[in-house]
Amino acid sequence: MNDRYSTVAEVTDSARKLVSRFPGTVRLRRIGTSREGRPLLMLSAGHGPHDALVVAGPHPDERAAGGTALALAELAARGDRQSPATDPSLVTWNIVLCLDPDGAALAEAGADAGLVLGRGFDPVSVPGLGNGAGPGFGPGLGPTSAKRPASLASYYRTAYRPMAAEQPEWAPVAAHPIPETLALLRVIDELRPFVQCSLHSTDVGGSWIQLTRDLPDLAVPFRESADALGIPLQQGTYDALYWENPSPAIYVLPAGDSAARLAAGSEDIARSTWCAPQHYGGVTAIIEVPIWATPMVADTTPEPEAVRLLSDLADLVRDGGRQVTAVLDKARGFLPPPETDPLRRVLEWMAAGLYDLVATSWQPLAQQVAAANTPEDPRHLTTAQVTALDIVARRQPLRAAGLLLRLLEASANTAAPALHDELSDLFTTWSADFETALRTHPVPVGAQVAHQTRTAVAAAECALKALGQG
């Protein structure tokens, strides 16, 4: 099997083939239009009275979701009934194929230089990922042609993620809903889904789930899937820094108006599309799978140097951000303006305070650890929890540097090559240090897709049980 991701065009092509293979059972419709005029498509499979909603492509740099979308659609279309969740007479699966096609176009353009064409992506054919290990695509489905990056350096040189206000799931938090957001919210209001699965990837780490309501029965199938595929469970995550943690690598949104929200200033998370199904009694599962894994995120032994390490990591993200911003300052006069260039907008957003926001977000943790009285005090942090913050501290400057390198490469200004070389040296060092310090290893695309697929089915099954239908 080729270790490759699907492009948006190929996911769409495979979706149309599914409609032809399963007429009447599978339907494809347009639910909206992106800011740049691209269609927002949703594939529905089954005719059950209970609607499950899947959102693929919410972040354009997280590309396993397209394969997962096709795998879930195949399961629902076949109606294998191995789970109540894949019984087409009980559940209709509605799958948004790519929520941010404009961002995906930029991400795919960034990867063009390393594009290798190939076909035949089928997790069923991967050793250890066949029918006995969980659902895959099935025969003839899922051509993929975007080769996974060979290293962290190649990943960050091509990755693109919009600023928060331009991310469809998060735009409502910034009080600036965009067409993609409005289309998704309309679908949620129409379907009233009992479960929404938002498909995400993390560059480095392990797998984890964020839930808007606890699903206690999800812990076992989630762990078993990860174990079968050799994917570590991430026992601590910046994304849910102060959320409840009822089971390993499962984080639940605190109830009510609690201040214990996402670390990076997301106190208004209730306005995100994640929380919209709650209006109809539904639950959302944000399913994260790693592109590169590190065993350190599963290490729950106490970290004796946590206070010092947190201080070092705050310095790391701030210093890296300052160095990227220093190069940006020199290049601002000849780079395309942020009003017309999305990469430049991300850089300016990050330079305007994101690095400090990230660094200060874990300050309460340092105070918590300092107040611990005994070695057994639960206020101590584990290696896994510190590692999760280490990943974030290294990630942010690398993301910015990769975007700025792309802009400098595209510039004809005579100052651009020297600035490019200056930043490239930093970028190369940071990428190599990241891989070494975190002991990373790549997770095959098939494993990412298989684990995300199984977890989505398990989440739907658990949510069905809560309805008395499991």
Side-chain angles (χ1 to χ4, degrees), residues 38-125:
R38 295 179 174 88
L40 303 175
L41 301 177
M42 185 171 75
L43 189 69
S44 297
H47 294 282
H50 301 290
D51 283 285
L53 177 62
V54 176
V55 180
H59 286 153
D61 56 341
E62 301 173 353
R63 303 186 63 185
T68 303
L70 295 175
L72 288 168
E74 173 85 8
L75 286 174
R78 289 204 310 259
D80 60 12
R81 293 179 170 82
Q82 293 181 16
S83 160
T86 54
D87 180 346
S89 67
L90 184 62
V91 176
T92 300
W93 285 83
N94 305 277
I95 303 165
V96 178
L97 297 179
C98 182
L99 185 60
D100 186 4
D102 298 346
L106 281 168
E108 291 175 7
D112 260 353
L115 190 66
V116 180
L117 296 180
R119 294 182 65 83
F121 178 34
D122 180 6
V124 171
S125 69

Side-chain angles (χ1 to χ4, degrees), residues 156 394-403 426-427 430-431 434:
Y156 286 117
R394 297 174 186 274
R395 168 193 298 149
Q396 300 299 344
L398 275 168
R399 276 183 178 168
L403 293 174
L426 289 171
F427 179 88
W430 292 343
S431 300
F434 200 166

Side-chain angles (χ1 to χ4, degrees), residues 209-211 213-219 235 240 243-254:
I209 305 171
Q210 292 165 254
L211 296 171
R213 184 182 72 239
D214 194 16
L215 295 173
D217 293 335
L218 182 56
Q235 307 267 30
W243 290 30
E244 298 169 10
N245 184 203
S247 305
I250 293 180
Y251 305 90
V252 180
L253 181 70

